[in-house]
Amino acid sequence: MADLAELVDQIAKDMATTPERGRVADYIPELAKVSPAHFGLVAITADGQEVAAGDADLPFSIQSVSKLFALVEALGRNADAVWARVGREPSGSAFNSIVQLEAEGGRPRNPFINAGAIAVTDLVAAGDDPRAGVGAILRLVRRLAGDDGISVDGAVAYSEAATGHRNAALAHFMKAHGVITGSVDATLSTYFHQCAIAMSCRQLARAGRFLMHGGIDPASGEAIVSPERARRINALMLTCGHYDASGEFAFRVGLPAKSGVGGGILAIAPGRACIAVWSPGLSAQGNSLLGTAALERLAGAMGWNVFNPDG
Ligand code: GLN
């Protein structure tokens, strides 16, 4: 098997000089300011080895990777009642699709497309104070990463709130169908702020460790979720974590993972490793182009794949 530190270093070097880097998201104006030249990679193995390369400690906007943490928080509060409002089926559609939501009576396909994530966040927002909901998600990621310095990038949250008309349309449509029960404005504000949480690859990889250990946070020994819930969250990440490119990602990488339009991806090799990668340029489906390529190479060389008999 390849030496992990050498491999991570070599991948970061190669990615730094790759000319085709995808397109940085510009529908959220603040994200368009980020240079496509960045690349960061951190892998943490089950025995606690942490290997980093490139811009591993530079915070970026985690965007839809936050949907994972919002789901953990919502499941903690509401358990299986979450599934009354959101499905568990890959959408095969764009992350911000409106037409599918209408065709299916306002019930989002899964918690990782925008509509599903907004419905999940509505459960976390609970009251009408957006700060409380964001505070709960932020507390969770700080605890998981073991880092109280993690915060929301206010400029990104403001930028998305000012331009988030599609998400507002999805939220109002779900409110009309009773899928959102709280105030649409409070729920959207919570959602925009959770998406604007800024984390580095190192912080993100640490925050994902519980999912490679059957729900146990290795730093504290605490059960963040039950083993069954960890398995199910990983199943959703594998089938829905990359929107209409989830099948392609499973084919190429073979690991549960969640992407965000900030260019971050958190990937889990259960029992083996937890990997965070960041490269801001995106594919047409809104997933990090080089992040996916790097994960394909790293997971392939290490044999990390949920379909490997010993992966
Ligand atoms: N905040 C982004 C949005 O709602 C998240 C999308 C994403 O990362 N895919 O459009």
Side-chain angles (χ1 to χ4, degrees):
M1 191 183 293
D3 176 80
L4 181 60
E6 264 174 38
L7 185 60
V8 162
D9 213 49
Q10 193 55 51
I11 291 173
K13 281 202 181 90
D14 293 348
M15 293 299 159
T17 54
T18 300
E20 181 43 68
R21 310 186 74 80
R23 278 196 56 201
V24 173
D26 56 7
Y27 75 99
I28 300 173
E30 199 63 23
L31 293 185
K33 298 180 183 168
V34 179
S35 164
H38 292 297
F39 181 87
L41 178 59
V42 172
I44 303 177
T45 57
D47 59 9
Q49 188 192 359
E50 187 172 297
V51 172
D55 298 318
D57 291 299
L58 210 58
F60 60 89
S61 193
I62 67 168
Q63 291 296 319
S64 284
V65 184
S66 71
K67 294 170 177 174
L68 168 65
F69 302 113
L71 178 64
V72 169
E73 184 67 25
L75 285 168
R77 294 174 185 213
N78 303 275
D80 285 346
V82 169
W83 308 120
R85 57 169 72 189
V86 54
R88 304 185 289 253
E89 210 57 60
S91 71
S93 297
F95 65 84
N96 55 5
S97 172
I98 290 178
V99 67
Q100 187 172 58
L101 189 67
E102 175 164 26
E104 299 186 355
R107 185 173 187 262
R109 280 277 179 108
N110 68 64
F112 294 150
I113 52 172
N114 283 13
I118 293 167
V120 165
T121 293
D122 180 58
L123 285 167
V124 176
D128 283 345
D129 181 359
R131 278 165 307 186
V134 182
I137 296 167
L138 201 51
R139 266 197 305 283
L140 175 66
V141 294
R142 284 175 173 171
R143 176 172 151 216
L144 292 171
D147 192 335
D148 284 342
I150 296 169
S151 60
V152 172
D153 182 329
V156 172
Y158 177 83
S159 180
E160 185 168 357
T163 56
H165 305 297
R166 274 189 91 98
N167 286 324
L170 293 168
H172 280 286
F173 191 75
M174 288 189 286
K175 179 76 179 176
H177 279 275
V179 172
I180 279 184
T181 51
S183 134
V184 167
D185 288 346
T187 294
L188 282 172
S189 174
T190 307
Y191 173 76
F192 294 144
H193 282 81
Q194 81 179 46
C195 287
I197 292 174
M199 292 169 81
S200 67
C201 287
R202 193 183 303 279
Q203 290 166 330
L204 195 55
R206 288 181 182 173
R209 288 173 298 185
F210 72 105
L211 286 173
M212 72 163 150
H213 289 298
I216 309 280
D217 175 6
S220 64
E222 260 179 280
I224 305 300
V225 296
S226 67
E228 179 189 59
R229 191 166 286 169
R231 278 197 301 272
R232 289 176 161 179
I233 291 170
N234 280 327
L236 286 167
M237 288 169 77
L238 182 74
T239 53
C240 311
H242 280 71
Y243 320 112
D244 45 342
S246 298
E248 179 70 11
F249 188 88
F251 182 90
R252 289 176 57 191
V253 183
L255 295 176
K258 184 72 207 84
S259 71
V261 290
I265 304 176
L266 175 62
I268 311 295
R272 309 294 296 273
C274 176
I275 311 135
V277 63
W278 173 50
S279 175
L282 307 177
S283 67
Q285 290 86 8
N287 303 307
S288 176
L289 195 71
L290 296 190
T292 305
L295 284 169
E296 182 176 21
R297 209 168 129 192
L298 178 61
M302 295 304 293
W304 294 336
N305 188 308
V306 290
F307 302 105
N308 271 354
D310 58 355

